[in-house]
Amino acid sequence: MCGIVGYIGNRKATPILINGLLKLEYRGYDSAGIATLEDEDITIIRNKGRVKELKKSKDLDKAQGTIGIAHTRWATHGKPSVVNAHPHIDCHKNFAVVHNGIIENHIELKKFLTDAGYTFVSETDTEVIPNLIDYYYSKEEESNDRLLKAVYRATQDLKGSYALAIISKIEKDTMIIARKDSPLVVGDGEGEKFVASDIPAILEYTNKIFILNDGDLVKITRDNITFFDEDFEKVQRKAEIIEWSSKSTDKGEYESYMLKEIYEQPNAIRETIGTRIVQNDKCDFSDINITKEFLESVSHIYIVACGTAMHAGVAVKPIIERLTNISVEVDIASEFRYRKPIVGDDTLIICISQSGETADTIAALKYAKKKGAKSIAITNVMGSSITREADFTLYTHAGPEVAVASTKAYTSQITLLTLLAIHFAEVLENEDKEIIDNLKNELTEIPSKVSIVLENSEKIKEFAKRVYKEKDLFFIGRGIDYAAAMEASLKLKEISYIHSEAYQSGELKHGPIALIEDDVTVVGIITDRRLVNKSISNLQEVATRGAKILIVTDQGIDEKIFENIVKIPKIHPFLSPILSIIPLQLLAYYISKEKGLDADKPRNLAKSVTVE
Ligand code: G6P
């Protein structure tokens, strides 16, 4: 949601800003704009719609400056339009601002500023910020840090969340940035500096990155980056050297990011396992300190997340319960704190978030921490906000995930959480060595099994051609297969805009079967050996009512009875969602493709949902 890019250096800013915005497209947006500082004035060019249209705009020729800020906006206050798009400028045209987040007290601030003579043109909450900066600038004494001080005073008035980048036609060689509850990073180059919401946007220029802390205010010039903490004290921050190559954020030979990321899964899983599985020894989790005493004191575990990450939680609940004997509840983050769950110092909360920025997940984590829970964050993004809140952080090493619909992060999350469950069992000195050894062996084989599934996509492509015009699809499964069905259904909704539902196969008879008629499509997932016959019966019940059936299975199911069977390699039942989801990610993808949609950027969705 909303992306920010900034540049200060000696090159022309516009190409760098546009390029950065293109890299942030995955966050979801509906308008875009840039502002550059010219000799006398600030040039602002904004557009409703895609960055590629902004890139074609003839007006861009006017933006020649070497300092600039840029933004992709995901509308919250005010519809998508040119006037609501960022950057926003104060009514005296002195300060241009881009903002990610929500200013909760903008109505009150607008009133204050209006009374002070300021005027507004947009419906946004953001427009109060440049005006507030102008107001405080006028109150500040002349000094080298007048802009910095004005921004600090303005941020003190803001309630809500923000990542901000500010340029001014008065202090021409300075950019100020600030963050509270919205991500922001600065890249350090030789005589030039880069700002962005996320590392991939600037990685091709520098891999020396500072990740801002909450409350940080930063003064940036071509040669210096000076940090101030929330108390406005000058502080030192340490740069991270990022090891991903900027190529990992390119589409490469693939037609879309989503397809690329689906095909990257063997490697993402391999990287996530990394060196955690140690031959003839316990798993290596030396990066977190979970003791036997603590685990013995835990009465229940909450897994809290949103969307796909929440589905990863559903998939691993049985493994964690089986290996630890501790009950696990999986909660939707936006619901968690409002239902007042029982949380105390005997609670462990595991928050899963690919981006590490999802506002609801972070809010749930803060709530649980306040009540005394210990916390573990599972994320894919180094230094993301969630890592600052959790007691311990574990990283999936899936590499940057750009497509809005999550694929490789999901399978990597299940992999990492399975390893964590094994770690818990080993810490607890669980006697069940056989299952632990089995899981370890199977995990090491999973990347090659995923490759096998990916190499056999023909049947799925064919099936997508048959069903892409449909209005409804059902995904059914029992036990762990239901977890995969939930994720399959979400993938389809997200990128093909076809309504779909996931049901526990046995629950069909209690209502949904009334919806089954000639040619409705039902996808069955069957990997749980104990439940094969029951699952087949459920599918026959819908087949006799005219449903078209597709089965994803690692079991020997008679192809004479069901014509569309996608076979996946045999797999430990606990790990089956990692394999069974792959053909269904591809199904969603090819349906979206048949419909001529952009799978990478589905309508209305954002990759990183930074507002509640
Ligand atoms: C958004 C995305 C989903 C994602 C969810 C959670 O809704 O569109 O694909 O699963 O956020 O994101 P997170 O970054 O917390 O895993």
Side-chain angles (χ1 to χ4, degrees):
M1 259 173 191
C2 296
I4 288 178
V5 188
Y7 176 73
I8 174 165
N10 294 308
R11 296 193 247 181
K12 194 172 148 186
T14 303
I16 295 167
L17 298 174
I18 297 281
N19 195 18
L21 289 185
L22 288 168
K23 292 260 162 72
L24 292 179
E25 277 197 303
Y26 71 89
R27 297 171 73 84
Y29 70 101
D30 37 52
S31 53
I34 70 163
T36 54
L37 187 62
E38 310 306 323
D39 291 341
E40 296 300 328
D41 277 312
I42 295 172
T43 299
I44 297 186
I45 298 140
R46 299 176 292 184
N47 215 334
K48 192 178 152 198
R50 295 286 186 209
V51 176
K52 65 173 189 252
E53 284 142 30
L54 179 71
K55 191 176 175 184
K56 280 192 231 143
S57 162
K58 290 227 160 20
D59 289 343
L60 277 194
D61 292 345
K62 295 181 202 146
Q64 294 291 334
T66 56
I67 300 180
I69 51 178
H71 189 265
T72 46
R73 171 174 187 254
W74 192 87
T76 56
H77 296 68
K79 59 185 177 305
S81 68
V82 172
V83 76
N84 287 332
H86 299 211
H88 286 284
I89 194 158
D90 64 288
C91 66
H92 303 128
K93 311 268 181 272
N94 288 326
F95 305 96
V97 171
V98 286
H99 165 222
N100 171 18
I102 287 183
I103 304 306
E104 287 161 6
N105 58 339
H106 68 106
I107 295 176
E108 186 181 320
L109 291 172
K110 199 166 179 175
K111 181 167 182 321
F112 165 76
L113 288 162
T114 309
D115 292 347
Y118 284 83
T119 55
F120 294 84
V121 290
S122 78
E123 303 157 277
T124 65
D125 53 336
T126 300
E127 203 183 352
V128 296
I129 305 171
N131 285 295
L132 207 53
I133 295 171
D134 187 76
Y135 173 81
Y136 283 120
Y137 194 86
S138 68
K139 307 269 172 240
E140 276 294 330
E141 303 272 297
E142 193 61 59
S143 81
N144 279 347
D145 280 333
R146 188 166 167 190
L147 175 59
L148 179 76
K149 286 179 183 160
V151 174
Y152 175 70
R153 286 175 73 179
T155 56
Q156 295 308 292
D157 286 352
L158 304 179
K159 294 208 172 83
S161 57
Y162 54 80
L164 299 171
I166 299 133
I167 56 170
S168 142
K169 74 171 194 193
I170 309 176
E171 288 190 26
K172 289 201 164 100
D173 297 310
T174 306
M175 181 182 299
I176 306 289
I177 64 170
R179 82 158 268 181
K180 181 172 169 276
D181 294 334
S182 286
L184 207 55
V185 302
V186 200
D188 193 1
E190 205 45 57
E192 56 182 358
K193 309 287 173 256
F194 306 84
V195 171
S197 298
D198 200 356
I199 299 167
I202 52 175
L203 198 53
E204 73 180 84
Y205 309 108
T206 177
N207 67 347
K208 190 175 173 192
I209 304 280
F210 293 91
I211 299 167
L212 268 65
N213 279 4
D214 237 16
D216 276 358
L217 184 67
V218 188
K219 179 176 175 177
I220 307 172
T221 60
R222 288 178 176 85
D223 295 313
N224 288 307
I225 305 174
T226 317
F227 288 87
F228 298 84
D229 67 9
E230 56 194 347
D231 301 320
F232 207 32
E233 296 291 331
K234 205 166 174 174
V235 281
Q236 296 294 329
R237 299 270 181 246
K238 197 172 156 283
E240 314 264 0
I241 303 300
I242 306 298
E243 277 156 20
W244 313 329
S245 84
S246 64
K247 288 231 167 13
S248 56
T249 56
D250 286 344
K251 265 193 280 201
E253 77 220 40
Y254 288 91
E255 63 196 25
S256 71
Y257 281 108
M258 182 167 174
L259 196 60
K260 175 179 180 244
E261 287 158 10
I262 290 173
Y263 275 84
E264 279 174 347
Q265 288 180 103
N267 205 39
I269 294 167
R270 206 174 284 119
E271 291 290 323
T272 297
I273 296 172
T275 52
R276 292 205 187 272
I277 298 177
V278 184
Q279 274 289 315
N280 304 320
D281 205 344
K282 294 181 176 172
C283 279
D284 179 4
F285 273 83
S286 47
D287 44 344
I288 59 174
N289 179 21
I290 297 283
T291 62
K292 188 174 182 203
E293 294 65 42
F294 168 68
L295 279 181
E296 281 174 345
S297 75
V298 171
S299 70
H300 52 276
I301 297 175
Y302 288 108
I303 299 183
V304 184
C306 299
T308 293
M310 190 271 294
H311 291 158
V314 176
V316 297
K317 168 186 155 89
I319 315 176
I320 302 180
E321 288 190 332
R322 172 74 173 74
L323 293 186
T324 62
N325 222 10
I326 305 172
S327 81
V328 177
E329 231 174 300
V330 182
D331 262 84
I332 291 175
S334 55
E335 297 285 318
F336 185 67
R337 64 198 197 285
Y338 300 110
R339 76 172 178 85
K340 299 215 179 338
I342 302 164
V343 181
D345 54 12
D346 60 348
T347 304
L348 172 64
I349 181 168
I350 303 176
C351 288
I352 314 171
S353 175
Q354 186 286 129
S355 62
E357 301 293 346
T358 301
D360 282 316
T361 310
I362 294 172
L365 172 55
K366 285 183 179 166
Y367 173 90
K369 264 179 72 181
K370 217 164 159 189
K371 299 258 170 190
K374 256 227 161 48
S375 54
I376 300 178
I378 306 278
T379 184
N380 196 38
V381 179
M382 194 160 82
S384 53
S385 302
I386 205 164
T387 65
R388 291 161 199 276
E389 294 296 336
D391 294 318
F392 303 114
T393 296
L394 293 170
Y395 288 102
T396 47
H397 292 281
E401 194 180 62
V402 175
V404 167
S406 180
T407 52
K408 61 178 180 173
Y410 171 74
T411 45
S412 301
Q413 285 157 355
I414 299 177
T415 303
L416 182 55
L417 283 153
T418 303
L419 286 163
L420 183 64
I422 295 172
H423 173 59
F424 285 171
E426 288 175 340
V427 171
L428 283 166
E429 296 175 41
N430 180 327
E431 299 294 297
D432 220 341
K433 208 169 149 12
E434 196 184 325
I435 176 169
I436 290 176
D437 287 345
N438 252 335
L439 281 171
K440 284 183 181 172
N441 287 337
E442 293 248 7
L443 275 168
T444 48
E445 286 169 12
I446 276 215
S448 52
K449 291 186 180 176
V450 172
S451 297
I452 294 171
V453 182
L454 288 168
E455 279 156 22
N456 293 295
S457 62
E458 280 316 308
K459 234 180 207 165
I460 288 292
K461 280 190 198 159
E462 290 296 305
F463 197 75
K465 285 195 178 121
R466 280 180 62 192
V467 300
Y468 76 96
K469 287 191 179 141
E470 295 193 2
K471 297 258 179 300
D472 297 288
L473 250 102
F474 291 86
F475 291 88
I476 62 171
R478 286 170 174 266
I480 201 147
D481 292 331
Y482 171 61
M486 288 168 81
E487 174 57 10
S489 171
L490 178 63
K491 282 293 88 67
L492 187 73
K493 284 189 202 91
E494 286 180 309
I495 60 166
S496 77
Y497 316 151
I498 294 176
H499 168 254
S500 77
E501 299 223 24
Y503 264 100
Q504 298 90 337
S505 310
E507 186 64 13
L508 277 183
K509 285 202 270 302
H510 300 288
I513 203 162
L515 299 168
I516 305 295
E517 53 184 355
D518 263 356
D519 253 9
V520 164
T521 299
V522 178
V523 178
I525 306 172
I526 308 179
T527 66
D528 192 331
R529 191 164 35 87
R530 300 161 308 154
L531 301 170
V532 176
N533 291 337
K534 286 197 192 337
S535 299
I536 288 181
S537 303
N538 297 138
L539 282 168
Q540 275 169 329
E541 284 156 14
V542 291
T544 52
R545 285 162 180 83
K548 267 201 293 306
I549 311 269
L550 174 76
I551 300 178
V552 174
T553 186
D554 65 345
Q555 304 293 313
I557 292 174
D558 192 345
E559 301 203 26
K560 287 196 218 87
I561 309 178
F562 295 103
E563 88 186 93
N564 301 305
I565 298 182
V566 173
K567 287 286 284 193
I568 55 173
K570 274 237 174 298
I571 175 101
H572 193 290
F574 277 149
L575 297 172
S576 69
I578 301 180
L579 286 193
S580 57
I581 196 60
I582 308 271
L584 300 175
Q585 292 170 340
L586 288 168
L587 180 67
Y589 180 77
Y590 286 115
I591 288 178
S592 158
K593 190 175 171 190
E594 287 296 330
K595 291 183 79 170
L597 300 172
D598 181 349
D600 285 344
K601 298 190 259 321
R603 68 182 179 205
N604 304 340
L605 297 180
K607 176 115 192 114
S608 181
V609 181
T610 49
V611 294
E612 287 179 32

